[in-house]
Amino acid sequence: MGDVLAGFHAAWEFDSDSVLIRFERGIRTPKLFQALGERRIPHEALAAVTLTPGKRGTVVLHAVPRPGADPLMAAAAGQLKDSSDPYRLVLPAERETLAEYYADELRALIGPASDAEEFLVPAPEGPLQFKAYDGKASFDGRTVSYRWFWTGASSAKWKAGDQSFAVGDLADVEWRSPEVFDGHLRLLHRAPGGTQPVQQPAQADQDPAAVVFGLGYGPVHESLPFAAAVLAAVRNSSGPACDDAPRPAAARRDPADIADRIRHLGELHQAGLLTDSEFTSKKAELLAEL
């Protein structure tokens, strides 16, 4: 066990090879911190350490991660507010001297600030799930699944049906914060025989590989750890999923849910958004799940 520096919302424990960040659980603690619980950051995952004046008589100790070292920060892509940055420790100004001491100690231990070739910080653990505006997203460590909500999903997504994506078939993950316009989580498909993503619909609400945020759905503390876990699994995947690999058996669906979905398909059909063949095909798929 190493020395501990406690600040607002978190405490940092300094060990010989890493910093263990423990986040508080309280009404004023950012929800993302509460969701993360604690994180161990190896020294090799850090690029720099700064200490700067904060607001209202505070100082901020900031351990800057190396680009590509942390799946959470890679998924966030610079969209996190300072108050939700898990690498910032806010302390009372009277602890500035002590904070400077630990900052100097860390600076002496970290290496060059080059991009990391692989993730060095563990991703949030699964299984994970959250509710978006147009569907429910779940991840079991191997497969991402989308189940559409009839009240929010577009006709394009209803035509495509509920979706499942093996991580080996994905190239990347795109997370756009729910705190900005057009927030969403999009899974980018791997092109056949390569690692680059294929082109997908520009609008997330029309893309069956994306779920849309908004109106309280897909908050940062739920959707970002989810995106980070999927991103880490994608990067760790050796390539396209093997068709011979055993897959978990699909659970039987609630008959009432199936009835609601068929009813909604009927509404889309009557509105002219589904052809006769599309309606018949999707109805048969839903009935097969009973």
Side-chain angles (χ1 to χ4, degrees), residues 11 22 26 34 52 54 59 76 90 96 123 129 153 159 162 177 182 186 193 214 219 230 245 267 269-270 272 280:
R22 291 194 174 96
Q34 297 185 50
T52 57
V59 292
V90 181
E96 181 176 4
Q129 62 182 21
K159 287 182 180 180
D162 292 347
S177 174
D182 192 30
R186 190 195 304 266
V230 176
E267 294 172 358
H269 182 221
Q270 291 179 356
T280 302

Side-chain angles (χ1 to χ4, degrees), residues 71-127:
L72 187 82
M73 304 307 286
Q79 299 175 75
L80 282 180
K81 296 178 179 179
D82 284 349
S83 59
S84 295
D85 185 342
Y87 286 84
R88 296 174 81 253
L89 180 65
V90 181
L91 306 114
E94 57 265 25
R95 296 187 187 175
E96 181 176 4
T97 301
L98 184 59
E100 184 62 55
Y101 167 78
Y102 285 113
D104 288 340
E105 290 290 304
L106 273 181
R107 293 187 187 110
L109 295 171
I110 62 178
S114 58
D115 291 5
E117 296 182 358
E118 61 182 2
F119 289 137
L120 302 172
V121 181
E125 296 182 355

Side-chain angles (χ1 to χ4, degrees), residues 120-276:
L120 302 172
V121 181
E125 296 182 355
L128 298 170
Q129 62 182 21
F130 71 92
K131 289 184 178 180
Y133 174 73
D134 55 358
K136 180 179 179 180
S138 58
F139 179 52
D140 62 5
R142 297 177 55 191
T143 304
V144 181
S145 299
Y146 293 160
R147 176 185 171 189
W148 305 123
F149 296 153
W150 70 270
T151 52
S154 65
S155 59
K157 292 183 177 180
W158 273 97
K159 287 182 180 180
D162 292 347
Q163 301 289 300
S164 292
F165 307 89
V167 295
D169 295 332
L170 301 176
D172 208 344
V173 176
E174 176 184 277
W175 180 80
R176 185 171 178 83
S177 174
E179 297 176 345
V180 299
F181 176 73
D182 192 30
H184 62 261
L185 171 68
R186 190 195 304 266
L187 305 176
L188 304 181
H189 300 296
R190 187 190 304 271
T195 59
Q196 297 301 313
V198 299
Q199 187 173 1
Q200 296 173 217
Q203 293 181 289
D205 66 340
Q206 301 298 312
D207 187 354
V211 289
V212 177
F213 304 151
L215 300 177
Y217 291 94
V220 171
H221 69 281
E222 294 180 356
S223 61
L224 180 56
F226 185 102
V230 176
L231 179 60
V234 169
R235 296 283 176 85
N236 290 332
S237 173
S238 59
C242 175
D243 291 338
D244 295 331
R247 298 179 182 272
R252 289 190 175 275
R253 299 282 281 275
D254 183 352
D257 177 61
I258 297 295
D260 284 341
R261 287 170 174 268
I262 292 176
R263 187 180 305 112
H264 185 59
L265 284 175
E267 294 172 358
L268 295 175
H269 182 221
Q270 291 179 356
L273 298 175
L274 289 177
T275 65
D276 292 343

Side-chain angles (χ1 to χ4, degrees), residues 50-63:
T50 65
L51 183 66
T52 57
K55 298 178 180 179
R56 295 186 293 275
T58 64
V59 292
V60 180
L61 180 61
H62 187 199

